[in-house]
Amino acid sequence: MTFARTETQQMFGDMLGRLLDVENDFEERRRRLSAETPDRLALWPALAEQGILGATVPEEAGGFGGSMRDLVVIMEEVGRKLVVEPVLASALTGAILHAGGEDISGLIAGETITAFAHEEGYDPFALPETRAVRAGDGYHLHGRKMVVRHADLAHQFIVSATLDGEAGVYLVEAGAQGLVLDSYRMIDGASAATVELSGVAARRIGGSDLIVAAIERGAIALAAEAVGIICAVNAATFAYLGTRKQFGVPLASFQALQHRSADMYAAAEEARILTERAIESFDAGAADRSALASATKVLVDDAARKVGHEAVQMHGGMGVSDELDISHYLRRLAAIRAELGSADLHRARFAGLGVNVVQETPFRAEVREFVRAHLPEDIARKGALGLEIHKDDYVRWQKILHEKGWFAAGWPVEHGGAGWTIDQQLIFLQESALNNAPMIIPYGVNMIGPVLQEFGNAEQCAKYLPGILSSDTWWCQGYSEPNSGSDLASLKTSAVREGDHYIVNGTKMWTTEAHWADMMHCLVRTDREVKAQRGISMLLIDMNSPGIEIRPIVTIDGQHHTNQLFLDNVRVPVENLVGEEGQGWTIAKFLLSHERVAIADTGPKLRLLQNIKTMLAEVPPSPPRARLAEKLAGAEIELLALCCMEQSYVSRWAEGASRDGPEASVLKIRSTEILQRLSEIALEIEGPLGGAHDPHDLHLAPHGQFTPSQRASLMGHQYLYGRCWSIFGGTNEIQRNLIARSLVSG
């Protein structure tokens, strides 16, 4: 099961799955479709008899459902088992006929097959060129319809046509005079035809709203079918990689294939979760249903291409064999991409529509109102422009939040927090960023604070938590080392106990804001004789201790964010050991789980998107502007999917689901790549000024006047520093390794 289902929908889905397992076995299907006269209706009587066709029709019309989710449940199974029968055509035309007041009992019983004759070219939303002419009490149709799927099987057609400049839908009988079919086989094994209409008698059913609703309903249904296929293809491919051997080892042991598998999994997750959002919006009649239908078609088409092509490639020679279902899945995915508008067409359509990337709630409104009312104006201006935020800016804002009771709001009440759920924490982070507030510096409140509450003793909590809450004690994180970045288990900084102190020696690398810090929570090696992970402990180190040297590292954007630390015989009191010796690895994993609510960090990306849209609006209309608008729409769709994934995962974690799966790694990879893509688009919009960058511009006065080159320079900083995010916090390559480890063995 991929999408949420009610008990009744689950029953229908299970029923259909069992039916298809028996009646649409792959070899039997292949035999039927390879015959000289393919049988493309073999399942039709059983689908009708089991009530499957009625599941896509409202109860008042004699069916059993009729919602978008009802149709999706069916289409997911249709995709998994590669059904060629006209299930979707029946659902779409049934909805049109029902809306037009027509009797659809024959459709539900499987006695009447109706084809949707609409496609005429590249844009299914364009005004049809097929003309309707009044003829007495009826109409005559003149025109041509391309790729009418299942036309040779149809008893009647729903045809779109234009009358007096207005589009509408008309009912045409299959045997009508002037109706000519040129039938052919489709890439997925189904049939279709070009339909010529020369004065064909027709009856009007309804207006253009029925056409748009059918296209959008069809786009989401196709997405659900594609997701069903993608999930099946991924499962088969990951299993194959774990069992097929080359050079004496499973294919799953090759890192290149592991990374490609991770990307296939991430693409499937994006497709699944965005389709779920589109289903909800369609059934709720939400204002953004049209935008979400197009966004879903774009994202799922792109995912289908990636997964389909990769699966064939990874299966090698068998992947291109007609004897393996992988090749048949690829063919169906190719057909889906061609139906009801291409990804490029829907991407351009999405660019002109509005979508609610985040969903409004009373709590979100409360956060927004507070931030706008209490964030100091100079800090808000810095955030809006992308200027450097200094330590005193962070402290001022965090003290304001502390006074409100919203700093450390995720902490338990007994430790000074507000006991917020992780859903509330996510909303706060998004709305704060959208309204130009600085990020919450995590090293104290989100990292060592929860660690002390879980592993520290009462004395440590009493000593350090108040300073974290008040932002009077500033922390940094001492994890990475020159040769131990993502591979923390190999760290070498040593801590040797001498009486009441540990003597610490070593080097820490990429220690962000160590030059601001009063304290450091630091991973050290206390035992070299045991397994690497078991020899690691955590110490709390006073940054004013003798023997600590901080050496600035200037990053690619010309700024001093991070540092290299040298620890030379630094004496740390034994009471600063967190937990027990050898528990550092466990603590580090716990800390990581608490970071996951913010790992996608979608708020700053949503703000960046808003800024880029403002930049693009200032570009005069031109072909390059249109191209950039479509490119930005593509990035916005990816960000929309990221926000949906973030919300889905956070909600599951809030319900108690394990945080040890691949979800956090998926969020980290996609969030950093989307950030980088957005900043690249911004530089393209700047044109020749996209090459401007002066590190000093980040420190300009927030209320001054900015030249065009200075504004471009600030965006140049976004681009340059954005390259860091796919490296910091565990490189994206390491994240792909972690995902692959959960998918395949070897």
Side-chain angles (χ1 to χ4, degrees):
M1 183 179 73
T2 299
F3 303 106
R5 301 178 179 184
T6 65
E7 185 176 344
T8 300
Q9 290 162 348
Q10 182 67 50
M11 178 190 71
F12 268 102
D14 291 345
M15 180 194 307
L16 178 57
R18 289 192 296 268
L19 172 66
L20 297 179
D21 285 341
V22 175
E23 301 295 337
N24 206 48
D25 170 77
F26 175 68
E27 287 302 325
E28 171 60 21
R29 174 188 181 277
R30 183 165 163 260
R31 183 195 63 77
R32 286 192 287 109
L33 295 182
S34 62
E36 185 174 346
T37 305
D39 184 356
R40 299 188 177 96
L41 284 177
L43 302 177
W44 203 243
L47 292 174
E49 182 180 347
Q50 295 295 323
I52 302 302
L53 302 182
T56 66
V57 176
E59 292 183 15
E60 63 267 23
F64 302 102
S67 71
M68 186 72 248
R69 193 170 297 280
D70 292 318
L71 176 55
V72 159
V73 169
I74 303 302
M75 294 307 297
E76 180 183 352
E77 298 299 329
V78 163
R80 290 183 193 277
K81 298 302 291 187
L82 289 168
V83 173
V84 297
E85 280 74 5
V87 176
L88 179 57
S90 179
L92 298 185
T93 56
I96 293 173
L97 291 168
H98 173 59
E102 299 288 325
D103 177 21
I104 57 173
S105 58
L107 180 148
I108 296 171
E111 298 166 353
T112 305
I113 296 174
T114 308
F116 186 35
H118 173 66
E119 303 268 17
E120 293 184 348
Y122 185 74
D123 185 359
F125 296 97
L127 196 67
E129 294 184 8
T130 297
R131 295 179 296 109
V133 179
R134 290 183 178 84
D137 293 334
Y139 300 87
H140 285 168
L141 303 184
H142 301 264
R144 171 187 293 177
K145 296 296 181 179
M146 301 170 56
V147 198
V148 181
R149 291 180 66 87
H150 317 292
D152 58 328
L153 307 176
H155 303 101
Q156 58 187 16
F157 297 86
I158 296 292
V159 183
S160 60
T162 300
L163 174 68
D164 299 333
E166 296 288 336
V169 288
Y170 299 79
L171 184 63
V172 171
E173 297 300 323
Q177 186 175 355
L179 182 72
V180 178
L181 306 184
D182 178 16
S183 299
Y184 45 85
R185 179 188 176 100
M186 296 293 287
I187 192 173
D188 59 356
S191 61
T194 299
V195 177
E196 300 281 355
L197 301 115
S198 301
V200 176
R203 186 171 80 253
R204 192 174 190 276
I205 301 298
S208 60
D209 57 321
L210 299 182
I211 300 174
V212 174
I215 297 170
E216 293 175 354
R217 184 178 176 87
I220 298 171
L222 287 171
E225 181 184 357
V227 169
I229 294 173
I230 288 169
C231 291
V233 166
N234 274 354
T237 303
F238 302 154
Y240 178 77
L241 294 177
T243 56
R244 179 72 166 92
K245 291 187 176 182
Q246 288 279 11
F247 309 108
V249 295
L251 290 175
S253 65
F254 296 105
Q255 190 173 70
L257 298 184
Q258 291 175 358
H259 287 192
R260 288 159 68 178
S261 297
D263 287 338
M264 291 167 69
Y265 175 82
E269 284 291 275
E270 287 179 307
R272 176 182 67 83
I273 292 174
L274 187 58
T275 302
E276 182 70 56
R277 170 78 186 274
I279 296 164
E280 293 173 358
S281 180
F282 192 94
D283 277 340
D288 60 2
R289 59 186 279 182
S290 295
L292 281 166
S294 282
T296 300
K297 185 69 163 69
V298 171
L299 194 84
V300 175
D301 278 4
D302 289 346
R305 178 183 290 105
K306 171 186 280 293
V307 170
H309 291 178
E310 290 284 33
V312 168
Q313 184 69 24
M314 291 184 186
H315 277 86
M318 285 302 296
V320 293
S321 167
D322 186 68
E323 297 177 13
L324 191 68
D325 58 2
I326 293 296
S327 67
H328 294 251
Y329 281 130
L330 174 70
R331 292 204 288 263
R332 178 55 190 148
L333 291 174
I336 287 174
R337 295 201 302 273
E339 289 186 58
L340 298 179
S342 69
D344 287 340
L345 180 282
H346 282 277
R347 193 176 289 111
R349 181 176 185 251
F350 177 84
L353 298 171
V355 63
N356 299 320
V357 177
V358 295
Q359 296 176 311
E360 188 66 13
T361 66
F363 181 71
R364 184 179 291 278
E366 180 185 359
V367 172
R368 183 186 309 121
E369 180 181 350
F370 177 81
V371 174
R372 290 178 178 176
H374 294 87
L375 178 64
E377 185 180 354
D378 61 318
I379 300 178
R381 178 74 172 161
K382 286 183 178 181
L385 293 170
L387 296 171
E388 186 78 353
I389 305 295
H390 298 290
K391 180 180 178 180
D392 64 334
D393 297 323
Y394 288 112
V395 171
R396 272 194 293 155
W397 176 233
Q398 291 180 181
K399 284 183 175 291
I400 291 170
L401 292 173
H402 178 49
E403 185 177 351
K404 172 70 172 175
W406 283 7
F407 188 64
W411 287 13
V413 174
E414 60 267 27
H415 287 297
W420 278 359
T421 66
I422 56 177
D423 288 290
Q424 288 175 303
Q425 294 172 53
L426 173 60
I427 289 172
F428 172 78
L429 292 172
Q430 286 180 335
E431 281 302 319
S432 295
L434 280 166
N435 289 282
N436 303 313
M439 67 177 288
I440 299 297
I441 299 301
Y443 308 110
V445 65
N446 294 332
M447 292 185 177
I448 193 60
V451 164
L452 291 177
Q453 294 164 33
E454 182 71 17
F455 298 95
N457 54 45
E459 290 76 15
Q460 290 172 335
C461 288
K463 182 175 181 178
Y464 295 114
L465 294 185
I468 294 172
L469 281 170
S470 64
S471 295
D472 291 329
T473 304
W474 210 255
W475 290 79
C476 64
Q477 173 182 266
Y479 283 16
S480 296
E481 297 183 2
N483 294 305
S484 300
S486 298
D487 181 17
L488 280 177
S490 66
L491 67 85
K492 294 180 173 58
T493 295
S494 66
V496 178
R497 183 164 179 173
E498 289 187 1
D500 294 335
H501 289 79
Y502 288 98
I503 309 302
V504 180
N505 286 278
T507 303
K508 291 296 178 180
M509 197 76 172
W510 314 118
T511 313
T512 302
E513 291 157 9
H515 54 299
W516 290 352
D518 306 296
M519 296 290 299
M520 171 172 60
H521 47 97
C522 185
L523 292 181
V524 295
R525 186 163 299 285
T526 50
D527 191 339
R528 297 185 181 278
E529 303 302 320
V530 297
K531 183 180 177 182
Q533 289 91 335
R534 292 178 59 191
I536 296 172
S537 303
M538 176 176 279
L539 292 178
L540 309 179
I541 301 179
D542 189 328
M543 292 296 286
N544 293 313
S545 301
I548 296 179
E549 178 189 351
I550 301 175
R551 184 173 298 174
I553 297 174
V554 176
T555 47
I556 190 172
D557 58 337
Q559 301 299 306
H560 173 203
H561 307 281
T562 191
N563 308 273
Q564 185 172 11
L565 267 61
F566 298 92
L567 299 103
D568 183 11
N569 289 323
V570 177
R571 295 177 65 83
V572 180
V574 168
E575 59 262 29
N576 283 20
L577 173 70
V578 181
E580 302 174 355
E581 281 195 10
Q583 204 174 9
W585 189 256
T586 299
I587 293 172
K589 291 194 296 182
F590 170 86
L591 187 151
L592 176 63
S593 73
H594 274 258
E595 284 189 273
R596 288 181 174 176
V597 67
I599 197 167
D601 202 21
T602 50
K605 297 165 186 66
L606 291 168
R607 182 175 65 194
L608 178 59
L609 175 66
Q610 290 178 344
N611 292 343
I612 297 173
K613 284 184 172 181
T614 300
M615 292 168 56
L616 185 61
E618 297 172 356
V619 177
S622 63
R625 184 187 185 281
R627 180 184 61 82
L628 287 168
E630 290 186 22
K631 184 178 287 190
L632 184 59
E636 183 175 1
I637 290 169
E638 293 181 7
L639 180 54
L640 169 63
L642 176 66
C643 289
C644 291
M645 280 201 301
E646 179 184 49
Q647 182 62 64
S648 176
Y649 292 162
V650 164
S651 295
R652 284 168 51 190
W653 292 334
E655 294 170 358
S658 172
R659 303 189 191 187
D660 295 330
E663 293 86 358
S665 292
V666 172
L667 291 178
K668 201 275 182 179
I669 292 169
R670 295 301 295 130
S671 66
T672 54
E673 291 177 346
I674 291 167
L675 171 66
Q676 292 168 346
R677 185 177 177 194
L678 284 169
S679 64
E680 291 169 15
I681 294 171
L683 292 192
E684 285 191 62
I685 294 173
E686 292 285 8
L689 281 174
H693 181 249
D694 183 343
H696 297 94
D697 290 339
L698 277 177
H699 304 278
L700 293 170
H703 294 291
Q705 296 295 315
F706 292 81
T707 66
S709 65
Q710 289 171 332
R711 297 292 292 265
S713 176
L714 298 177
M715 195 54 71
H717 166 261
Q718 291 273 6
Y719 165 73
L720 290 171
Y721 197 61
R723 306 314 306 176
C724 300
W725 289 111
S726 54
I727 298 171
F728 292 170
T731 68
N732 284 9
E733 288 68 33
I734 294 296
Q735 303 300 333
R736 287 182 167 91
N737 287 348
L738 295 174
I739 295 170
R741 192 178 302 161
S742 71
L743 303 176
V744 294
S745 59

